[in-house]
Amino acid sequence: MVFSKNRRGISYFLILIHLSILIVLGPFGLGYNSIVWFWNLALIFVLLIIYQKPIEIESVKSFSLNHFYWLTLWFLMPVLSFFGKWYQYFSFNLYSGKGKQMYICFSSKEKIQPELGNVINYNGSPCINLQNWAMKK
């Protein structure tokens, strides 16, 4: 197998990546988007569990035939998301910034409080981005 010799190093590297994400986005870093903290902790534990008993593949051909549906979902479907044919969040695109955003617009007569966040102008009305406002709270 290609990765069998490097399995330990690759596992440690991936754990290091997840730890660095936790440091940057965690409570001692930016403190941003707390759901990411649990995902990264879970992935570290998954890596530790897989390293204890790795998946052995005897034949690539038999593995491909037996797991055709999973391989299709894992590799082919994300490519379709580039063309709008597959939902982007199912294609490892959760934090790409390509998702639709919700804006709350006010009549131009209203004065917007500064704690609501950055105000943009849309069709002559002041608007705030709901995601940015929610993440500030």
Side-chain angles (χ1 to χ4, degrees):
M1 190 69 199
V2 176
F3 298 111
S4 62
K5 292 183 235 175
N6 301 325
R7 185 173 50 224
R8 180 180 298 239
I10 291 170
S11 295
Y12 289 150
F13 178 70
L14 291 172
I15 290 171
L16 183 68
I17 287 174
H18 289 293
L19 286 174
S20 63
I21 291 170
L22 283 171
I23 290 169
V24 171
L25 296 179
F28 301 113
L30 297 174
Y32 183 78
N33 205 351
S34 60
I35 193 65
V36 175
W37 309 343
F38 300 108
W39 286 352
N40 282 282
L41 286 173
L43 288 172
I44 289 170
F45 287 116
V46 166
L47 282 167
L48 292 172
I49 291 168
I50 288 176
Y51 183 73
Q52 294 298 320
K53 187 171 187 316
I55 300 168
E56 297 293 333
I57 301 173
E58 292 85 26
S59 166
V60 174
K61 184 177 179 181
S62 67
F63 181 82
S64 300
L65 291 174
N66 291 336
H67 299 286
F68 173 75
Y69 297 112
W70 296 111
L71 293 171
T72 301
L73 283 174
W74 190 262
F75 293 106
L76 177 64
M77 300 312 272
V79 172
L80 294 177
S81 74
F82 291 127
F83 306 105
K85 302 295 183 189
W86 181 249
Y87 188 53
Q88 66 181 1
Y89 283 177
F90 295 154
S91 302
F92 315 107
N93 240 347
L94 190 57
Y95 292 101
S96 67
K98 294 180 184 176
K100 296 183 181 191
Q101 298 285 314
M102 181 176 192
Y103 290 90
I104 300 175
C105 296
F106 301 91
S107 69
S108 57
K109 299 175 190 174
E110 296 181 56
K111 177 158 174 41
I112 299 175
Q113 300 300 320
E115 62 266 6
L116 291 178
N118 293 340
V119 178
I120 64 163
N121 190 3
Y122 179 74
N123 286 341
S125 298
C127 301
I128 60 167
N129 183 309
L130 185 62
Q131 171 74 19
N132 295 342
W133 172 80
M135 293 308 289
K136 282 185 172 183
K137 295 297 172 185

